[in-house]
Amino acid sequence: MQTLFFSYTACRQLCQMFFAIFFFHSSEYVLAIHFHGRSNVPLSSLLISNQYVLAMAFSIVEYVLEIYLFPQMKEYWWISNIGLCLVLIGEVIRKLAIITAGRAFTHMIRTRHDDHHQLITHGIYRYIRHPGYCGFFIWAIGIQIMILNPLCTVAFVVVLWRFFAGRIEYEEYFLRHFFGSRYDEYALGVPSGVPFVK
């Protein structure tokens, strides 16, 4: 059993997972400090909630059980590499969203309009209405595909879709209030970035 956990497969897949998580959150934090200033960025900007930790813990448990019980299942490198590509694509989309929006990008949904909050419709926002959510959705599911976790892949798709569908509806209520018909026009011509969410 010990050799399974120190095999090339386990080391590569788990190292890729941990590096992807570390890079995602640390770069997110650095960008938040860059755009908002250190005093305005609490550690909660790392986006690590109890639910998130629990989800990642379940994915590790699934990985360990499967590599122990069905080690051959983790050897489909072409699928793992597709997952790695999705992780990279999701990371790029999300970081482009943050960099393009600058100070207008926050981790908390704004319920009050302020001077820094503007409607961003250029750059990646020209093609995806919610590229931050789109990027996270692709990134998180990509991690599960990369480590060949079929159960968590399905669970992440369902849970993240439900989360973002509700969050987009809630956020767009305020965006329509802040920007009126300008936002309605924009939303009509640009997809949300999350499948099956208008």
Side-chain angles (χ1 to χ4, degrees):
M1 180 171 137
Q2 189 175 13
T3 56
L4 284 174
F5 298 114
F6 293 103
S7 68
Y8 171 78
T9 298
C11 287
R12 177 180 158 182
Q13 289 170 342
L14 291 176
C15 284
Q16 285 175 334
M17 176 189 180
F18 293 132
F19 179 77
I21 291 169
F22 171 79
F23 183 82
F24 178 89
H25 293 289
S26 61
S27 61
E28 197 94 359
Y29 189 65
V30 167
L31 286 170
I33 288 172
H34 173 74
F35 288 113
H36 299 286
R38 184 175 214 102
S39 60
N40 297 320
V41 180
L43 279 177
S44 62
S45 290
L46 289 171
L47 301 177
I48 302 174
S49 66
N50 292 338
Q51 295 90 340
Y52 176 81
V53 171
L54 189 62
M56 289 303 179
F58 273 122
S59 74
I60 292 168
V61 168
E62 179 183 349
Y63 186 86
V64 167
L65 286 173
E66 288 171 355
I67 202 163
Y68 177 69
L69 297 172
F70 314 105
Q72 70 283 2
M73 162 179 197
K74 301 295 183 186
E75 296 295 335
Y76 291 95
W77 285 105
W78 66 275
I79 296 174
S80 181
N81 290 335
I82 290 171
L84 177 59
C85 288
L86 290 173
V87 168
L88 296 172
I89 290 166
E91 184 73 50
V92 168
I93 290 171
R94 182 155 174 102
K95 294 314 185 270
L96 282 173
I98 295 170
I99 292 165
T100 303
R103 294 197 70 178
F105 189 98
T106 61
H107 292 114
M108 306 300 290
I109 292 175
R110 293 183 190 214
T111 57
R112 291 194 181 102
H113 189 56
D114 66 29
D115 295 338
H116 299 295
H117 199 191
Q118 53 188 323
L119 181 59
I120 309 295
T121 60
H122 64 280
I124 194 160
Y125 289 86
R126 183 179 298 152
Y127 308 103
I128 305 171
R129 210 164 65 238
H130 294 282
Y133 300 155
C134 173
F136 187 90
F137 187 79
I138 294 168
W139 175 86
I141 293 164
I143 284 182
Q144 298 311 310
I145 294 169
M146 181 178 72
I147 63 173
L148 299 163
N149 272 1
L151 300 177
C152 280
T153 296
V154 172
F156 272 51
V157 168
V158 171
V159 170
L160 286 172
W161 186 87
R162 290 186 67 203
F163 173 76
F164 285 129
R167 188 170 171 101
I168 287 170
E169 182 179 353
Y170 180 71
E171 183 174 6
E172 288 191 340
Y173 168 81
F174 293 104
L175 291 169
R176 283 184 169 85
H177 179 71
F178 301 153
F179 303 110
S181 60
R182 279 179 59 214
Y183 190 80
D184 287 331
E185 252 178 65
Y186 170 65
L188 275 175
V190 180
S192 72
V194 176
F196 309 109
V197 175
K198 291 183 180 180

